[in-house]
Amino acid sequence: MPNPKYAPEEPICAIATPLAPSALGIVRASGKNSIELLSKLFSRPKALEQAPGNTLVYGWIKDGDIKIDEVMVAVYRAPKSFTGEDLVEINCHGGPGVVMSIQNLLLNNGFRQAEKGEFTFRAYINGKADLTKAEAVQEIIDSHTGEGRSRAAGRLAGNLFQEISSIKTLITDTLAAIEVEIEYPEDEETIADSFDTNNLKIAEERLKALVDSWKGEKLYQDGARVVLCGRTNAGKSSLFNSILKEERAIVSDIEGTTRDWIESFVDIDGIPVRLFDTAGLRETQDVIEAHGVELTRSLSKDADVVLYLCDSSTGLIDDDLDFLKSCKEPLILVWNKCDKDTSHTAEDSVLSSVKMLKDQVKISAKTGNGLNDLYKAIKKVITCGVTTERVQAGLGSARQKSAVEEALESVRHAQFVAEDFTLDAVVQDLEEALNCLGEVTGEVTPDDVLGSIFSHFCVGK
């Protein structure tokens, strides 16, 4: 078991919605006799006990003669439920006090507090979801953009499971053919010559495609760090607000207004980006501002992309060039305030020594002109060397990538040993490949791996 507290079939319950004032709250319960246990706390016990699956029952949750709340109870009967067990969801009013009262009442009447991810774990052990679908649930919860949610939803719908199953069929069919050759050889000296690697070549190509998909999928999950840098009054905070489309950062003509960094997630063409606004770079005697400048330099060293803003009305100065030349992260030079009549840009010869410069973009943070060009430049830099085109099935976790890489290596090795060794050696490699793919879907999975996966879920999921 992934958690010693997990006990299959034992009645469990948990609050499935945030504890905050809202129109509705949900308390979820699952396990053996969960419907019967809840009926003892319900104003219409027989109606609840006799309710068919996938129905709603109206009534009151009661503590003895005291009414707690007017509710609708959704009833799901095994095996046609999320967990594969009898399951109920109490839809109550969303006040934190009401939700907590119902939860505590269940805990005092035969239910146990669910552990993190225990509902999804039960779905897994009861065959309602494989591990790729289970992990996709958490991906959807953690996603920051619509594109990220959409890709995770594909895995939840089963596209990765189906691809893995299809590849396993190619390997299994090859194994079956080999076993026939081993058990019933017509000529032992020509067994190796009769070995057909066509299915394994197809499996290798598809496994390689899955491995290659991970970088792109990871980008849509974790996103990228983009840091705004530049001298004071270059317009960093104005650009930060323009991208966010809200007044998050204080904007002022006074130099050194921004003394600390602030951050926010933004969606750039489906990619979640952590955007940082930082203190302006300059020499200062102000201790607090000087600390902010050091933080700016530190943040820029961890950036996936540095947006260096320059006031186009004044052009580059030596301090700008010193930073640009010393920067070791990918750079986009952003010429701001291009709405003004007088604007400057730098000659290519001046920037030729800036090794990490990837692009230059002209914008006006004040009017919004040029922002679309900036978004395109950012995406081009952060996706360099990464395949981001939507594929039918992509990997959703580092765990899956590691297992598929091992399967790919085994399939490649099987084709290699087939040239000089007996088919027994090929069988060993192919069985290892199947075991690795079984780890992806959960057919073959160590308990510690399960514990790691489900411990990252929230309670009630």
Side-chain angles (χ1 to χ4, degrees), residues 1-10 12 28 30 82-85 87 112 114-131 133-135 137-138 441-442 445-461:
M1 302 297 293
N3 187 317
K5 295 182 180 179
Y6 284 3
E9 295 190 344
E10 184 179 3
I12 57 172
R28 170 183 277 184
S30 180
F82 174 71
T83 60
E85 308 170 324
L87 183 145
R112 168 177 63 77
E115 299 292 326
K116 289 184 177 181
E118 190 166 3
F119 288 93
T120 308
F121 172 73
R122 292 189 176 194
Y124 162 67
I125 64 172
N126 290 324
K128 305 298 291 186
D130 70 288
L131 281 191
K133 293 180 182 179
E135 288 176 298
V137 170
Q138 192 62 30
T441 58
T445 306
D447 288 346
D448 58 343
V449 173
L450 292 179
S452 175
I453 291 171
F454 290 102
S455 66
H456 290 87
F457 280 59
C458 55
V459 173
K461 195 60 185 167

Side-chain angles (χ1 to χ4, degrees), residues 264-445:
S264 183
F265 266 106
V266 293
D267 182 342
I268 294 185
D269 198 14
I271 299 174
V273 168
R274 288 178 66 188
L275 183 66
F276 293 82
D277 181 27
T278 64
L281 298 169
R282 69 167 181 169
E283 294 293 331
T284 177
Q285 299 302 314
D286 188 302
V287 176
I288 297 176
E289 185 183 352
H291 182 61
V293 172
E294 288 304 313
L295 287 175
T296 297
R297 296 184 185 279
S298 177
L299 281 171
S300 68
K301 293 177 181 178
D302 292 327
D304 294 297
V305 184
V306 172
L307 302 183
Y308 191 87
L309 266 69
C310 183
D311 188 337
S312 63
S313 64
T314 61
L316 290 176
I317 64 173
D318 289 342
D319 288 344
D320 294 318
L321 286 171
D322 288 343
F323 180 90
L324 293 173
K325 291 177 181 178
S326 64
C327 186
K328 293 181 172 54
E329 288 66 42
L331 273 166
I332 296 176
L333 181 55
V334 183
W335 295 97
N336 191 25
K337 304 182 183 180
C338 287
D339 53 304
K340 296 185 176 182
D341 294 335
T342 304
S343 62
H344 301 78
T345 57
E347 297 291 337
D348 291 341
S349 58
V350 176
L351 297 174
S352 60
S353 60
V354 182
K355 296 180 180 180
M356 297 306 294
L357 183 63
K358 303 300 180 183
D359 207 345
Q360 298 185 63
V361 180
K362 295 180 180 181
I363 70 159
S364 169
K366 181 179 179 180
T367 66
N369 289 339
L371 288 187
N372 286 334
D373 292 334
L374 179 59
Y375 299 151
K376 291 177 182 177
I378 294 172
K379 183 176 181 181
K380 181 179 179 181
V381 174
I382 62 181
T383 60
C384 181
V386 177
T387 300
T388 58
E389 293 183 3
R390 180 74 70 90
V391 292
Q392 185 174 1
L395 300 179
S397 71
R399 180 195 71 83
Q400 295 171 6
K401 173 179 177 286
S402 177
V404 172
E405 281 181 328
E406 290 183 23
L408 175 60
E409 181 59 30
S410 294
V411 169
R412 285 173 171 168
H413 193 260
Q415 296 174 78
F416 170 75
V417 299
E419 298 177 4
D420 300 307
F421 298 90
T422 65
L423 292 184
D424 288 335
V426 178
V427 169
Q428 184 176 349
D429 280 327
L430 297 186
E431 288 179 344
E432 179 62 26
L434 289 175
N435 283 336
C436 292
L437 295 178
E439 289 185 15
V440 177
T441 58
E443 296 165 83
V444 181
T445 306

Side-chain angles (χ1 to χ4, degrees), residues 101-145:
S101 294
I102 294 175
Q103 168 72 354
N104 290 332
L105 185 62
L106 266 59
L107 293 176
N108 292 327
N109 287 273
F111 290 90
R112 168 177 63 77
Q113 172 66 52
E115 299 292 326
K116 289 184 177 181
E118 190 166 3
F119 288 93
T120 308
F121 172 73
R122 292 189 176 194
Y124 162 67
I125 64 172
N126 290 324
K128 305 298 291 186
D130 70 288
L131 281 191
T132 64
K133 293 180 182 179
E135 288 176 298
V137 170
Q138 192 62 30
E139 285 181 54
I140 290 175
I141 294 172
D142 292 338
S143 60
H144 294 282
T145 67

Side-chain angles (χ1 to χ4, degrees), residues 155-225:
R155 285 183 281 277
L156 182 60
N159 61 16
L160 178 56
F161 176 82
Q162 292 167 7
E163 177 65 4
I164 294 293
S165 296
S166 179
I167 294 172
K168 286 173 65 178
T169 298
L170 292 170
I171 297 173
T172 302
D173 288 349
T174 303
L175 266 175
I178 294 174
E179 293 291 351
V180 170
E181 292 288 351
I182 292 175
E183 294 296 330
Y184 307 103
E186 295 179 359
D187 184 350
E188 293 182 0
E189 295 180 356
T190 60
I191 290 177
D193 295 335
S194 66
F195 176 52
D196 185 1
T197 61
N198 185 56
N199 278 356
L200 294 188
K201 289 178 180 177
I202 297 173
E204 179 185 354
E205 291 176 1
R206 292 168 67 173
L207 287 170
K208 179 65 165 56
L210 284 177
V211 171
D212 291 343
S213 74
W214 168 237
K215 284 187 178 180
E217 296 298 318
K218 188 175 187 296
L219 180 61
Y220 283 98
Q221 289 178 21
D222 298 343
R225 291 166 60 95

